[in-house]
Short mmCIF file of all heavy atoms in Angstrom, two decimals:
data_model
loop_
_atom_site.label_atom_id
_atom_site.label_comp_id
_atom_site.label_asym_id
_atom_site.label_seq_id
_atom_site.Cartn_x
_atom_site.Cartn_y
_atom_site.Cartn_z
N ILE A 153 10.13 2.34 -15.53
CA ILE A 153 9.72 3.72 -15.25
C ILE A 153 8.20 3.84 -15.37
O ILE A 153 7.53 4.41 -14.49
CB ILE A 153 10.41 4.70 -16.23
CG1 ILE A 153 11.91 4.78 -15.94
CG2 ILE A 153 9.78 6.10 -16.13
CD1 ILE A 153 12.70 5.52 -17.01
N GLU A 154 7.66 3.30 -16.45
CA GLU A 154 6.21 3.40 -16.68
C GLU A 154 5.41 2.77 -15.55
O GLU A 154 4.46 3.38 -15.03
CB GLU A 154 5.87 2.72 -18.01
CG GLU A 154 4.38 2.71 -18.32
CD GLU A 154 4.06 1.95 -19.59
OE1 GLU A 154 5.00 1.53 -20.31
OE2 GLU A 154 2.87 1.75 -19.88
N GLN A 155 5.79 1.57 -15.14
CA GLN A 155 5.02 0.86 -14.12
C GLN A 155 5.22 1.47 -12.73
O GLN A 155 4.29 1.52 -11.92
CB GLN A 155 5.40 -0.62 -14.11
CG GLN A 155 4.99 -1.35 -15.38
CD GLN A 155 3.50 -1.22 -15.67
OE1 GLN A 155 2.66 -1.34 -14.77
NE2 GLN A 155 3.16 -0.96 -16.93
N LEU A 156 6.41 1.96 -12.44
CA LEU A 156 6.65 2.58 -11.14
C LEU A 156 5.91 3.91 -11.02
O LEU A 156 5.42 4.25 -9.94
CB LEU A 156 8.16 2.77 -10.93
CG LEU A 156 8.93 1.48 -10.68
CD1 LEU A 156 10.43 1.69 -10.90
CD2 LEU A 156 8.68 0.96 -9.26
N GLU A 157 5.80 4.65 -12.11
CA GLU A 157 5.03 5.89 -12.07
C GLU A 157 3.55 5.59 -11.84
O GLU A 157 2.85 6.32 -11.12
CB GLU A 157 5.23 6.67 -13.36
CG GLU A 157 6.62 7.30 -13.46
CD GLU A 157 6.82 8.13 -14.73
OE1 GLU A 157 5.98 8.00 -15.65
OE2 GLU A 157 7.80 8.89 -14.80
N LEU A 158 3.05 4.52 -12.44
CA LEU A 158 1.65 4.13 -12.21
C LEU A 158 1.45 3.71 -10.75
O LEU A 158 0.43 4.04 -10.14
CB LEU A 158 1.27 2.98 -13.14
CG LEU A 158 1.14 3.33 -14.63
CD1 LEU A 158 0.89 2.08 -15.46
CD2 LEU A 158 0.01 4.34 -14.85
N LEU A 159 2.43 2.99 -10.20
CA LEU A 159 2.31 2.56 -8.80
C LEU A 159 2.30 3.76 -7.87
O LEU A 159 1.56 3.79 -6.87
CB LEU A 159 3.46 1.61 -8.45
CG LEU A 159 3.49 1.09 -7.01
CD1 LEU A 159 2.21 0.37 -6.64
CD2 LEU A 159 4.70 0.17 -6.81
N MET A 160 3.11 4.79 -8.16
CA MET A 160 3.13 5.98 -7.32
C MET A 160 1.76 6.65 -7.27
O MET A 160 1.38 7.25 -6.26
CB MET A 160 4.18 6.97 -7.83
CG MET A 160 5.61 6.60 -7.46
SD MET A 160 6.80 7.94 -7.79
CE MET A 160 6.89 7.90 -9.57
N LYS A 161 1.00 6.53 -8.35
CA LYS A 161 -0.33 7.15 -8.42
C LYS A 161 -1.42 6.24 -7.85
O LYS A 161 -2.55 6.70 -7.66
CB LYS A 161 -0.67 7.50 -9.87
CG LYS A 161 0.27 8.51 -10.51
CD LYS A 161 -0.05 8.69 -11.98
CE LYS A 161 0.92 9.65 -12.65
NZ LYS A 161 0.64 9.78 -14.11
N ALA A 162 -1.09 4.98 -7.59
CA ALA A 162 -2.10 4.01 -7.17
C ALA A 162 -1.85 3.54 -5.75
O ALA A 162 -1.85 2.35 -5.45
CB ALA A 162 -2.11 2.82 -8.14
N ARG A 163 -1.62 4.47 -4.85
CA ARG A 163 -1.31 4.11 -3.47
C ARG A 163 -2.36 4.69 -2.52
O ARG A 163 -3.07 5.63 -2.85
CB ARG A 163 0.08 4.64 -3.10
CG ARG A 163 0.18 6.15 -3.09
CD ARG A 163 1.58 6.62 -2.70
NE ARG A 163 1.62 8.04 -2.43
CZ ARG A 163 1.95 8.98 -3.31
NH1 ARG A 163 2.27 8.63 -4.54
NH2 ARG A 163 1.96 10.26 -2.96
N LYS A 164 -2.41 4.10 -1.34
CA LYS A 164 -3.30 4.63 -0.30
C LYS A 164 -2.67 4.39 1.06
O LYS A 164 -1.72 3.62 1.22
CB LYS A 164 -4.67 3.96 -0.37
CG LYS A 164 -4.68 2.48 -0.02
CD LYS A 164 -6.10 1.92 -0.08
CE LYS A 164 -6.15 0.43 0.24
NZ LYS A 164 -7.53 -0.10 0.15
N HIS A 165 -3.20 5.09 2.08
CA HIS A 165 -2.69 4.96 3.44
C HIS A 165 -3.54 3.97 4.22
O HIS A 165 -4.74 3.88 4.05
CB HIS A 165 -2.72 6.32 4.15
CG HIS A 165 -1.69 7.29 3.65
ND1 HIS A 165 -0.43 7.38 4.19
CD2 HIS A 165 -1.74 8.20 2.65
CE1 HIS A 165 0.25 8.31 3.54
NE2 HIS A 165 -0.52 8.83 2.61
N CYS A 166 -2.86 3.26 5.10
CA CYS A 166 -3.54 2.32 6.00
C CYS A 166 -4.40 3.10 7.00
O CYS A 166 -3.97 4.13 7.52
CB CYS A 166 -2.49 1.48 6.72
SG CYS A 166 -3.13 0.41 8.03
N ARG A 167 -5.58 2.61 7.28
CA ARG A 167 -6.46 3.32 8.23
C ARG A 167 -6.03 3.10 9.67
O ARG A 167 -6.50 3.80 10.58
CB ARG A 167 -7.91 2.91 8.03
CG ARG A 167 -8.20 1.43 8.21
CD ARG A 167 -9.58 1.09 7.64
NE ARG A 167 -9.89 -0.32 7.76
CZ ARG A 167 -10.64 -0.84 8.71
NH1 ARG A 167 -11.15 -0.04 9.65
NH2 ARG A 167 -10.89 -2.13 8.75
N PHE A 168 -5.15 2.11 9.92
CA PHE A 168 -4.67 1.86 11.27
C PHE A 168 -3.34 2.54 11.55
O PHE A 168 -3.06 2.92 12.68
CB PHE A 168 -4.54 0.35 11.51
CG PHE A 168 -5.84 -0.39 11.43
CD1 PHE A 168 -6.10 -1.23 10.35
CD2 PHE A 168 -6.81 -0.25 12.40
CE1 PHE A 168 -7.29 -1.93 10.25
CE2 PHE A 168 -8.02 -0.93 12.32
CZ PHE A 168 -8.25 -1.77 11.24
N ASP A 169 -2.51 2.65 10.52
CA ASP A 169 -1.19 3.25 10.69
C ASP A 169 -0.88 4.11 9.47
O ASP A 169 -0.63 3.58 8.39
CB ASP A 169 -0.12 2.16 10.85
CG ASP A 169 1.24 2.71 11.24
OD1 ASP A 169 1.49 3.90 10.98
OD2 ASP A 169 2.04 1.96 11.82
N PRO A 170 -0.88 5.42 9.60
CA PRO A 170 -0.66 6.31 8.44
C PRO A 170 0.72 6.15 7.81
O PRO A 170 0.94 6.59 6.68
CB PRO A 170 -0.85 7.71 9.02
CG PRO A 170 -0.63 7.56 10.49
CD PRO A 170 -1.12 6.19 10.83
N ALA A 171 1.66 5.53 8.52
CA ALA A 171 2.99 5.29 7.94
C ALA A 171 2.95 4.17 6.91
O ALA A 171 3.87 4.03 6.12
CB ALA A 171 4.00 4.95 9.03
N HIS A 172 1.89 3.38 6.92
CA HIS A 172 1.76 2.26 5.98
C HIS A 172 1.09 2.74 4.70
O HIS A 172 -0.08 3.11 4.69
CB HIS A 172 0.92 1.13 6.60
CG HIS A 172 1.57 0.45 7.74
ND1 HIS A 172 0.94 -0.51 8.51
CD2 HIS A 172 2.83 0.58 8.26
CE1 HIS A 172 1.76 -0.94 9.45
NE2 HIS A 172 2.91 -0.29 9.31
N VAL A 173 1.85 2.77 3.63
CA VAL A 173 1.35 3.14 2.31
C VAL A 173 1.48 1.92 1.42
O VAL A 173 2.52 1.26 1.40
CB VAL A 173 2.15 4.32 1.72
CG1 VAL A 173 1.68 4.65 0.32
CG2 VAL A 173 2.04 5.54 2.63
N TYR A 174 0.42 1.62 0.67
CA TYR A 174 0.45 0.40 -0.14
C TYR A 174 -0.46 0.53 -1.36
O TYR A 174 -1.18 1.53 -1.52
CB TYR A 174 0.05 -0.81 0.71
CG TYR A 174 -1.35 -0.75 1.32
CD1 TYR A 174 -2.44 -1.37 0.70
CD2 TYR A 174 -1.58 -0.07 2.51
CE1 TYR A 174 -3.71 -1.32 1.26
CE2 TYR A 174 -2.84 -0.01 3.09
CZ TYR A 174 -3.90 -0.64 2.45
OH TYR A 174 -5.16 -0.57 3.00
N PHE A 175 -0.43 -0.47 -2.23
CA PHE A 175 -1.21 -0.49 -3.47
C PHE A 175 -2.69 -0.43 -3.14
O PHE A 175 -3.21 -1.26 -2.40
CB PHE A 175 -0.86 -1.76 -4.25
CG PHE A 175 -1.60 -1.93 -5.55
CD1 PHE A 175 -1.81 -0.86 -6.40
CD2 PHE A 175 -2.07 -3.18 -5.93
CE1 PHE A 175 -2.50 -1.02 -7.60
CE2 PHE A 175 -2.74 -3.35 -7.12
CZ PHE A 175 -2.97 -2.27 -7.97
N ARG A 176 -3.38 0.54 -3.70
CA ARG A 176 -4.75 0.84 -3.28
C ARG A 176 -5.78 -0.23 -3.62
O ARG A 176 -6.88 -0.24 -3.07
CB ARG A 176 -5.19 2.18 -3.87
CG ARG A 176 -5.37 2.18 -5.39
CD ARG A 176 -5.67 3.58 -5.87
NE ARG A 176 -5.79 3.64 -7.33
CZ ARG A 176 -5.71 4.77 -8.03
NH1 ARG A 176 -5.51 5.92 -7.38
NH2 ARG A 176 -5.83 4.77 -9.33
N GLN A 177 -5.46 -1.16 -4.51
CA GLN A 177 -6.43 -2.19 -4.86
C GLN A 177 -6.42 -3.38 -3.90
O GLN A 177 -7.24 -4.29 -4.01
CB GLN A 177 -6.20 -2.67 -6.30
CG GLN A 177 -6.52 -1.63 -7.35
CD GLN A 177 -6.52 -2.19 -8.76
OE1 GLN A 177 -6.53 -3.39 -8.97
NE2 GLN A 177 -6.48 -1.31 -9.75
N LEU A 178 -5.50 -3.36 -2.94
CA LEU A 178 -5.48 -4.42 -1.94
C LEU A 178 -6.57 -4.17 -0.90
O LEU A 178 -6.83 -3.03 -0.51
CB LEU A 178 -4.12 -4.48 -1.24
CG LEU A 178 -2.90 -4.80 -2.12
CD1 LEU A 178 -1.64 -4.78 -1.25
CD2 LEU A 178 -3.06 -6.15 -2.80
N SER A 179 -7.17 -5.24 -0.43
CA SER A 179 -8.24 -5.09 0.57
C SER A 179 -7.67 -4.90 1.97
O SER A 179 -8.33 -4.31 2.83
CB SER A 179 -9.16 -6.31 0.53
OG SER A 179 -8.42 -7.51 0.73
N ASN A 180 -6.46 -5.41 2.21
CA ASN A 180 -5.84 -5.28 3.53
C ASN A 180 -4.42 -4.76 3.40
O ASN A 180 -3.75 -4.98 2.39
CB ASN A 180 -5.83 -6.64 4.24
CG ASN A 180 -7.22 -7.16 4.53
OD1 ASN A 180 -8.02 -6.49 5.20
ND2 ASN A 180 -7.54 -8.35 4.03
N CYS A 181 -3.96 -4.11 4.46
CA CYS A 181 -2.62 -3.52 4.46
C CYS A 181 -1.55 -4.61 4.58
O CYS A 181 -1.54 -5.37 5.57
CB CYS A 181 -2.49 -2.53 5.62
SG CYS A 181 -0.81 -1.90 5.85
N PRO A 182 -0.64 -4.73 3.61
CA PRO A 182 0.39 -5.77 3.69
C PRO A 182 1.42 -5.51 4.80
O PRO A 182 1.99 -6.46 5.34
CB PRO A 182 1.05 -5.72 2.32
CG PRO A 182 0.81 -4.33 1.82
CD PRO A 182 -0.53 -3.94 2.36
N TRP A 183 1.64 -4.24 5.14
CA TRP A 183 2.60 -3.93 6.20
C TRP A 183 2.06 -4.34 7.56
O TRP A 183 2.84 -4.81 8.42
CB TRP A 183 2.96 -2.45 6.17
CG TRP A 183 3.48 -1.99 4.85
CD1 TRP A 183 2.89 -1.13 3.97
CD2 TRP A 183 4.72 -2.41 4.22
NE1 TRP A 183 3.67 -0.97 2.85
CE2 TRP A 183 4.80 -1.73 2.98
CE3 TRP A 183 5.74 -3.25 4.60
CZ2 TRP A 183 5.87 -1.90 2.11
CZ3 TRP A 183 6.82 -3.43 3.75
CH2 TRP A 183 6.88 -2.76 2.51
N CYS A 184 0.77 -4.20 7.76
CA CYS A 184 0.16 -4.70 9.00
C CYS A 184 0.30 -6.22 9.06
O CYS A 184 0.59 -6.78 10.12
CB CYS A 184 -1.32 -4.31 9.06
SG CYS A 184 -1.62 -2.57 9.44
N ARG A 185 0.10 -6.89 7.92
CA ARG A 185 0.24 -8.35 7.87
C ARG A 185 1.66 -8.77 8.24
O ARG A 185 1.85 -9.71 9.03
CB ARG A 185 -0.10 -8.87 6.47
CG ARG A 185 -0.06 -10.39 6.34
CD ARG A 185 0.01 -10.83 4.89
NE ARG A 185 1.29 -10.52 4.28
CZ ARG A 185 1.43 -9.89 3.12
NH1 ARG A 185 0.37 -9.48 2.45
NH2 ARG A 185 2.65 -9.66 2.64
N VAL A 186 2.65 -8.07 7.69
CA VAL A 186 4.05 -8.38 7.99
C VAL A 186 4.32 -8.25 9.48
O VAL A 186 4.95 -9.12 10.10
CB VAL A 186 5.00 -7.47 7.18
CG1 VAL A 186 6.42 -7.56 7.71
CG2 VAL A 186 4.96 -7.83 5.70
N GLU A 187 3.82 -7.18 10.10
CA GLU A 187 4.04 -6.98 11.53
C GLU A 187 3.28 -8.02 12.34
O GLU A 187 3.79 -8.51 13.36
CB GLU A 187 3.62 -5.56 11.92
CG GLU A 187 4.53 -4.49 11.32
CD GLU A 187 4.11 -3.07 11.69
OE1 GLU A 187 3.21 -2.93 12.56
OE2 GLU A 187 4.67 -2.12 11.14
N ASP A 188 2.07 -8.38 11.91
CA ASP A 188 1.29 -9.41 12.61
C ASP A 188 1.96 -10.78 12.53
O ASP A 188 1.77 -11.63 13.40
CB ASP A 188 -0.12 -9.50 12.03
CG ASP A 188 -0.97 -8.28 12.34
OD1 ASP A 188 -0.59 -7.53 13.26
OD2 ASP A 188 -2.01 -8.07 11.68
N GLU A 189 2.74 -11.00 11.47
CA GLU A 189 3.46 -12.27 11.31
C GLU A 189 4.76 -12.30 12.10
O GLU A 189 5.51 -13.27 12.02
CB GLU A 189 3.76 -12.52 9.82
CG GLU A 189 2.52 -12.80 8.97
CD GLU A 189 2.84 -12.90 7.48
OE1 GLU A 189 4.01 -12.62 7.10
OE2 GLU A 189 1.94 -13.26 6.71
#
């Protein structure tokens, strides 16, 4: 519960696709990477 609540507060939207929400400390969107793969 504690860690999931922190993750909910530490998210950001992808600048290429607003449907992609991910951990804000990542430099690149992981969902874009998955689709590119």
Side-chain angles (χ1 to χ4, degrees):
I153 291 169
E154 177 184 353
Q155 294 304 317
L156 288 163
E157 287 182 347
L158 290 174
L159 179 57
M160 283 191 287
K161 298 175 183 177
R163 65 179 191 265
K164 67 178 179 181
H165 288 270
C166 173
R167 59 195 179 99
F168 297 109
D169 189 337
H172 292 174
V173 177
Y174 60 96
F175 179 41
R176 68 186 177 197
Q177 292 190 14
L178 298 179
S179 56
N180 296 303
C181 173
W183 304 113
C184 286
R185 183 197 70 230
V186 167
E187 293 179 9
D188 291 343
E189 292 175 353

